Amino acid sequence: MPLYICVICSLIGWLCLYLLFCSTFSHRGPEWNCRLVTLTHGVIMVLLTAYVVFVDGPWPFTHAGTENTDLQIFALAVCLGYFFFDLGWCVCYRSEGPVMLAHHAASIVGILLALLMGVSGCETCGVIFGSEITNPLLQSRWFLRQLGLYDSLLGDAVDLLFILLFATVRVGLGTVMFYCELTSPRTLLIMKLGGVVMYLLAWVFMVDIARFGYKKTRAKYRKWMVNRELKETSEEKPVGHEE
């Protein structure tokens, strides 16, 4: 099957899934249904790229720039169709800022280059795995807010796991992947430049996440101190007066 047919089929598939969610959850807004598609895509791509990277191979840390396999091409085509859908939705509803739109555009260009040149599929799938592994947590956080369940132990657990995964996988392992791509003699220069763009965007997100984590931790600490003071005040026994 021609490559462009695979990408078009992927785009149609994600669009049909969105329309299905719209008809099923007609009482919800468009963003709810789009985020359900994003959540579904995140889960599918984590499972698919995990199999590509860890089972089917080759290992992206040692084989960056090698020729694409059929499974890598399939995974990239599925992902590319989703990014076309999501970018179109974001532009239509003006729901995202310039950084996220830049991330989507860079992802589309990077995947297109890997598909059209027929190389660097293994490290591109590795990048997709690292990017999407935090996606279900990010969407879960939004859904918890909408359901009024975010300010709870579950919301705190989701935030903590999201921050840890982003820092360790997307930034930590991402740095190793970035170094392997830059030093690989097989990787084309244009793919290395694309890696630079994605790596810088990851750090932009990391800075924002670190700020969020600091603010939330500070707010939690203040709330804990206030509750502690109130508890100590309530436990104090009134002093009696002798006549």
Side-chain angles (χ1 to χ4, degrees):
M1 182 183 295
L3 182 59
Y4 70 93
I5 296 295
C6 294
V7 177
I8 292 175
C9 289
S10 172
L11 173 59
I12 294 174
W14 294 116
L15 180 59
C16 289
L17 182 61
Y18 172 71
L19 296 176
L20 176 63
F21 285 143
C22 287
S23 61
T24 304
F25 304 102
S26 56
H27 59 292
R28 300 289 185 177
E31 187 172 3
W32 177 282
N33 300 309
C34 183
R35 285 185 179 270
L36 281 178
V37 176
T38 302
L39 177 62
T40 304
H41 167 263
V43 173
I44 290 175
M45 290 312 301
V46 166
L47 296 176
L48 181 57
T49 54
Y51 182 84
V52 170
V53 172
F54 298 108
V55 179
D56 191 64
W59 190 236
F61 293 107
T62 56
H63 291 74
T66 54
E67 187 176 350
N68 299 344
T69 66
D70 291 339
L71 189 56
Q72 290 169 0
I73 294 172
F74 173 75
L76 294 177
V78 171
C79 191
L80 182 59
Y82 164 78
F83 275 116
F84 277 132
F85 159 78
D86 199 49
L87 181 62
W89 191 95
C90 292
V91 171
C92 180
Y93 286 91
R94 300 179 180 177
S95 62
E96 299 293 347
V99 175
M100 185 58 69
L101 293 178
H103 171 268
H104 276 40
S107 299
I108 289 173
V109 172
I111 295 173
L112 272 174
L113 288 173
L115 287 173
L116 294 177
M117 294 187 299
V119 293
S120 293
C122 63
E123 65 263 36
T124 305
C125 285
V127 170
I128 293 173
F129 172 79
S131 300
E132 295 298 331
I133 196 170
T134 56
N135 188 293
L137 292 170
L138 185 62
Q139 306 312 316
S140 299
R141 181 172 176 267
W142 187 89
F143 285 119
L144 288 174
R145 281 187 179 276
Q146 298 302 307
L147 296 172
L149 301 174
Y150 179 69
D151 294 321
S152 63
L153 183 61
L154 178 59
D156 293 339
V158 169
D159 279 342
L160 179 61
L161 187 56
F162 172 76
I163 294 172
L164 290 177
L165 272 179
F166 196 99
T168 56
V169 177
R170 194 161 180 177
V171 174
L173 290 179
T175 300
V176 179
M177 175 74 72
F178 180 58
Y179 173 79
C180 292
E181 185 178 40
L182 288 182
T183 57
S184 173
R186 293 182 297 264
T187 306
L188 300 177
L189 177 60
I190 191 169
M191 296 303 295
K192 293 182 179 182
L193 293 176
V196 171
V197 173
M198 295 302 294
Y199 186 68
L200 291 177
L201 285 172
W203 271 107
V204 171
F205 289 133
M206 186 69 252
V207 170
D208 287 339
I209 291 171
R211 289 175 178 172
F212 160 77
Y214 171 75
K215 290 179 179 179
K216 181 166 185 176
T217 302
R218 189 176 179 182
K220 287 287 183 181
Y221 177 75
R222 287 180 176 177
K223 184 177 180 181
W224 176 77
M225 288 296 295
V226 170
N227 291 335
R228 182 183 178 185
E229 291 176 0
L230 291 175
K231 183 177 180 181
E232 290 177 351
T233 302
S234 64
E235 289 178 351
E236 289 180 358
K237 295 181 180 180
V239 180
H241 295 279
E242 296 183 358
E243 297 183 359

